[in-house]
Amino acid sequence: MTESWVNSAQRIGVDLHLELPATGGRRAALIAALRDAVVDGRLPPGTRLPPYRSLAADLGVARNTVADAYAELVAEGRLTARQGSGTRVADRAEPVRAAARTPKKSPPRARVPRHDLRQGAPDASEFPRAAWAASYRRALQSAPSEAFGPGDPAGRPELREALAEYLARARGVRTEPGRIVICSGFAHALRLLFGQGRTGGGVLRGPLAVEAYGLGFHRQLLATAGVRTVPLPLDEGGALVDRLGRERAVLLTPAHQFPTGGPLHAERRATVVDWARARDGVVLEDDYDGEFRYDRKPVGAVQGLDPERVIFIGSVSKSLSPALRLGWMVLPERYVDAVLAAKGEREAWASVPEQLALADFVVSGSYDRHVRRMRQRYRHRRDRLVEALAAHAPHVRVTGVAAGLHAVLRLPPGTEASTVKAATWHGVALDGLGAFRHPDTDMAARDGLVVGYATPPEHAYAAAVDALCAVLPPP
C-alpha cells in the first residue's frame, strides 16, 4: 500500500508531493521518490527543496533520512547543495522521461490558416489594454467590500446603471437599471430564456420564429432546449415579419441582419411590435454589432418602440473582446423575476471585478472613445476590401457593408463550395453563406462568402485581402 504525503513547506513557499510505501526502507523509498520527481520533470531545474527538518516532519521520518537522501542525489548530480542557497534541483542533461510508456496516436490537427477572414471576432490586437487596466484598478480601489461577497444575480448595480445610461444614449433603449440582467453573452441569454435542456424549463417557450439566415450555433442551442425554430424569409428590407403566425416569440437582428446585412425596414419594425402586442408575444432583439455603422444614420433599437414587448440583448464580444464574457439583457418587467430565478447558482454569474471594470470603462468615456476609434479602423478596412474587389474581381458584388464587421460577397451560382475549398487549401479561413441557412427554409439558396474584415491584425490585413482575391472564381 502506498501513502501520499504532502509537504506544506511553509518556510520556502512550495508544496512537494511524494509517495512513499507505508512499510519498508524509508531512505531508499525517499531517494526513489525524489529521483522520479526530478527525472519526470515534476521538480524542474532550479527548484529549491524543503530543509531537512521541514520535509522530515511532513513525511514522519528521521531528519538524517532526508539528509542521506539529499546527499545521494547530490552525488548523482541530480541535486546541488550550496551554503546559503539550500538544496536545489540541478540542471540536468538527460531529457524528461515520458509520462506514458505506451505510444498514443495523436488525432490529426487541422491546418492553421495563414489568413483568418472568419466573421464573429474583433481585432484582438486592438484591445485597449492600458485604458482597461486603468478602469480595472480604479474599480477595485473604489469597490465596496460587499462587492467581493455573495452578490445579486442581476449583476452589479454599478454596471447596470452605467448600461442604462449608455444604451439610452447610444442605442435608443428605454429602460432602468432594475430591468437589466447581466449575463456572459448572447448564448447564455438564450439558455436563460429557453432553458438548459429539454427538461430544463425556461422563461419562454417555442415555437420561435428566426431569420432564414443566422448562426447555426444558436439554432442548435435552441434545439437542445426543445425549442422548434420557424424560419422567416429575407429580402433587402430584412425579415418578412408579415409571415409571422402562431409563434410565441421571434428572434431578429434588426440593426444589421446577420449575416446578409442591412437593417430591418422601419415599417417592419412597427409591424413586428404590433404582432407581439396582438399575440401577447415577445421580440428578441440581438444587437450584436449595433455600434459599428459607417454609411448610414444610426438605427435605434426596436426595443424603444415598446419596452414591454422586446427583450434587448447585447454584449462586448464585438466591441471589446469575446474573452471578457460580459453581456446584458434589457427585459420587460414581467420577465425579470423569472430570468433571475433561471440564473440560479452563483457559478453561472459573470465575474464581479470585470463587471466593475466595465462600469468604470463606460462611465469614464473610455468605451465611447474605443468604439469611435475602432469604427474608423474597421471602416477603413471595409473600404480597402471593397476597393480590392473592384480592382481584381469586379464581377463579385459586395453587400451588407454599411455597418458591422463583415461583408457578404455574392458569387456566381454553383461556385460557393469550390471557392471555400480553394480558400482553405490556400490558407484562407472564411465562411460560405450556405453555412448560415436554416435547413427548413424554402427561401432560395444564395451562393456567397461571409468575409470578416475585423479579425486580422493590421499588419496582416493587406496580405489577407490579396489571398482572398486570388481564390475568387472567374466571371
Side-chain angles (χ1 to χ4, degrees):
M1 179 178 178
T2 300
E3 296 180 358
S4 296
W5 303 84
V6 177
N7 171 40
S8 60
Q10 295 178 0
R11 299 201 308 188
I12 63 169
V14 295
D15 290 336
L16 179 58
H17 175 81
L18 297 174
E19 294 185 351
L20 303 182
T23 59
R26 311 293 269 172
R27 176 182 177 277
L30 179 56
I31 291 173
L34 286 170
R35 183 185 293 120
D36 286 345
V38 171
V39 173
D40 288 343
R42 289 187 290 117
L43 291 177
T47 301
R48 184 177 180 181
L49 299 184
Y52 303 155
R53 184 178 291 106
S54 297
L55 186 58
D58 286 339
L59 296 178
V61 300
R63 179 177 178 276
N64 287 341
T65 300
V66 177
D68 289 347
Y70 281 10
E72 176 68 23
L73 294 176
V74 168
E76 293 180 5
R78 302 188 193 280
L79 302 181
T80 61
R82 295 178 182 176
Q83 185 69 30
S85 63
T87 304
R88 297 179 183 271
V89 178
D91 292 335
R92 60 181 182 274
E94 63 182 282
V96 175
R97 190 170 64 200
R101 295 295 186 183
T102 304
K104 296 182 179 180
K105 186 177 181 180
S106 300
R109 295 186 178 182
R111 179 184 299 178
V112 178
R114 292 193 299 274
H115 308 290
D116 191 352
L117 291 174
R118 289 170 291 195
Q119 62 75 36
D123 182 354
S125 68
E126 292 294 331
F127 183 79
R129 302 185 188 206
W132 180 259
S135 285
Y136 210 102
R137 286 194 300 270
R138 286 194 299 266
L140 291 182
Q141 290 169 354
S142 62
S145 297
E146 54 86 14
F148 302 99
D152 187 339
R156 286 299 303 175
E158 297 92 338
L159 179 55
R160 291 186 284 123
E161 291 168 5
L163 287 173
E165 186 278 331
Y166 171 79
L167 294 174
R169 169 171 54 81
R171 303 295 300 120
V173 170
R174 295 160 54 195
T175 191
E176 57 190 28
R179 296 192 183 191
I180 297 177
V181 173
I182 304 302
C183 57
S184 61
F186 187 81
H188 185 207
L190 282 186
R191 290 188 177 99
L192 292 174
L193 291 170
F194 290 98
Q196 305 292 325
R198 294 183 183 276
T199 60
V203 177
L204 303 178
R205 299 175 64 185
L208 171 69
V210 298
E211 295 160 331
Y213 280 78
L215 274 177
F217 169 68
H218 292 162
R219 293 194 297 268
Q220 294 167 6
L221 186 155
L222 291 162
T224 300
V227 178
R228 182 170 66 91
T229 56
V230 180
L232 292 174
L234 298 165
D235 64 12
E236 297 302 320
L240 301 179
V241 294
D242 57 347
R243 304 281 185 91
L244 286 165
R246 300 181 62 83
E247 297 84 11
R248 293 187 174 95
V250 57
L251 170 60
L252 300 173
T253 51
H256 184 227
Q257 201 287 319
F258 180 86
T260 62
L264 184 65
H265 192 278
E267 291 183 2
R268 297 182 187 180
R269 290 170 167 248
T271 297
V272 74
V273 170
D274 289 341
W275 168 86
R277 291 168 178 166
R279 285 281 299 157
D280 192 25
V282 64
V283 179
L284 277 64
E285 181 172 9
D286 180 2
D287 194 57
Y288 68 100
D289 64 0
E291 294 95 343
F292 296 110
R293 55 196 183 273
Y294 311 122
D295 300 333
R296 54 173 168 77
K297 294 181 180 179
V299 177
V302 172
Q303 191 268 1
L305 300 178
D306 192 338
E308 294 303 322
R309 294 294 171 187
V310 181
I311 297 176
F312 179 90
I313 307 172
S315 77
V316 298
S317 293
K318 304 293 187 296
S319 57
L320 278 173
S321 168
L324 290 179
R325 309 310 307 150
L326 284 173
W328 48 84
M329 287 184 281
V330 179
L331 297 163
E333 186 175 7
R334 59 179 169 155
Y335 293 127
V336 173
D337 290 342
V339 168
L340 294 180
K343 207 170 179 187
E345 296 296 328
R346 289 189 292 273
E347 283 73 13
W349 302 359
S351 163
V352 165
E354 291 188 347
Q355 290 186 57
L356 295 171
L358 180 58
D360 181 273
F361 201 71
V362 172
V363 171
S364 67
S366 295
Y367 188 73
D368 285 276
R369 288 190 290 273
H370 175 72
V371 168
R372 286 196 298 270
R373 183 172 68 87
M374 296 313 298
R375 187 184 297 139
Q376 294 174 354
R377 176 69 56 85
Y378 294 146
R379 178 175 182 169
H380 181 57
R381 289 194 181 188
R382 187 274 316 257
D383 292 345
R384 290 165 64 186
L385 173 64
V386 172
E387 291 167 1
L389 291 170
H392 300 287
H395 59 288
V396 174
R397 187 164 66 96
V398 187
T399 64
V401 293
L405 306 181
H406 70 270
V408 175
L409 279 55
R410 304 291 186 179
L411 299 179
T415 62
E416 178 182 311
S418 60
T419 303
V420 172
K421 184 177 181 179
T424 302
W425 180 258
H426 287 86
V428 181
L430 45 73
D431 298 299
L433 184 58
F436 302 97
R437 187 171 183 266
H438 196 293
D440 298 332
T441 185
D442 57 4
M443 180 179 170
R446 306 170 178 176
D447 278 58
L449 302 175
V450 180
V451 176
Y453 47 78
T455 303
E458 187 64 24
H459 71 272
Y461 185 65
V465 172
D466 290 343
L468 168 67
C469 293
V471 301
L472 293 175

